[in-house]
Amino acid sequence: MFMFSCCQSCQDGGDASTNSIEDERAAVFPTILAEKVLRPGKDFEVYQDSRAEETTELAASESTDVHAEGGEVLNTFTAILVKESVDEDLGWDLDLLAESRAWVSNVSHYQDTPLQRYNASVPPEKQLREGDYIKQVNQKAGSVEAMMSALKQDLRLEIVVQRPHVYTKTIVKGGQSMGLALVFGPGSASIIIETVKDGVVKQLCPEVRSGDRITKVNGQTGSADSFLQAMKYSESMDIEFSRCSP
């Protein structure tokens, strides 16, 4: 299942507005749900990005570890999928809120899917998991639209997968603003940090970057709305972040 987007525009403290859709984006994603909604608040600004959903699949792999700036290990592998038909489901849900890579938000537990058959055929360290990032499909990288077009149209798929760099930080607000601009979509299981501004997160956790995802709050997975409520009303919280390094 894919979560995709279209026009996105708003300003600090202002009303949401909608721009015209680029022709090529609309051609890849004919269903248009629209816009980014700004809800200014004391702790953070929230941009809700509406995106619709669909599905896709996977098969055989090799992995390699390299080091990104900052020292985290990047564990990547290539999964090769051969679909029996162009509309065969992979057996996962993809969050497409980021422009350059997809995030695996859910893996189906049904056994008779290409993804589950692939996972059953490889060792655990090469199995595709919830929380992984999709960085390239059939040599197409840097554009979610291009990767999703390949996933939909091509029968043989070579998919470059990257394990997330996951880290947890304890935030004690102490009466300060969080200083975050956040983006999420309907039904999102994570929140993307669009901007880190002056506030307690920047002060206590300078390693937090734009593009990082919030995937747990106080040890709990859930929806974007539940994360927002926990961050709004908790004075102290443990936040798990996920990063896909370049």
Side-chain angles (χ1 to χ4, degrees), residues 2 28-29 94 96 102 144-153:
F2 306 149
V28 175
F29 301 118
L94 293 180
L96 308 184
V144 160
E145 287 93 341
M147 289 190 289
M148 293 308 106
S149 180
L151 284 173
K152 290 181 178 182
Q153 298 174 13

Side-chain angles (χ1 to χ4, degrees), residues 10-39:
C10 56
Q11 296 189 358
D12 243 349
D15 294 330
S17 61
T18 303
N19 297 333
S20 60
I21 313 296
E22 297 177 4
D23 290 342
E24 60 270 24
R25 192 176 181 96
V28 175
F29 301 118
T31 305
I32 296 168
L33 291 187
E35 73 255 32
K36 211 183 240 184
V37 179
L38 173 63
R39 299 187 302 189

Side-chain angles (χ1 to χ4, degrees), residues 155-181:
L155 289 178
R156 186 181 189 277
L157 303 170
E158 294 187 11
I159 303 173
V160 176
V161 182
Q162 183 177 305
R163 298 290 194 217
H165 170 59
V166 178
Y167 63 102
T168 301
K169 293 294 177 181
T170 298
I171 308 294
V172 181
K173 290 195 288 188
Q176 298 184 66
S177 167
M178 295 281 282
L180 299 175

Side-chain angles (χ1 to χ4, degrees), residues 87-145:
D87 58 353
E88 185 179 15
D89 287 347
L90 262 173
W92 62 9
D93 294 342
L94 293 180
D95 180 320
L96 308 184
L97 289 172
E99 294 293 330
S100 61
R101 62 255 183 184
W103 182 70
V104 181
S105 62
N106 182 62
V107 171
S108 171
H109 295 293
Y110 293 108
Q111 293 184 354
D112 192 23
T113 66
L115 177 55
Q116 286 290 1
R117 293 193 296 270
Y118 161 73
N119 280 349
S121 71
V122 296
E125 64 270 16
K126 293 185 179 182
Q127 293 177 0
L128 195 136
R129 311 166 187 163
E130 293 179 8
D132 285 344
Y133 290 93
I134 306 304
K135 298 192 70 175
Q136 181 175 302
V137 179
N138 286 357
Q139 305 302 312
K140 295 179 174 66
S143 166
V144 160
E145 287 93 341

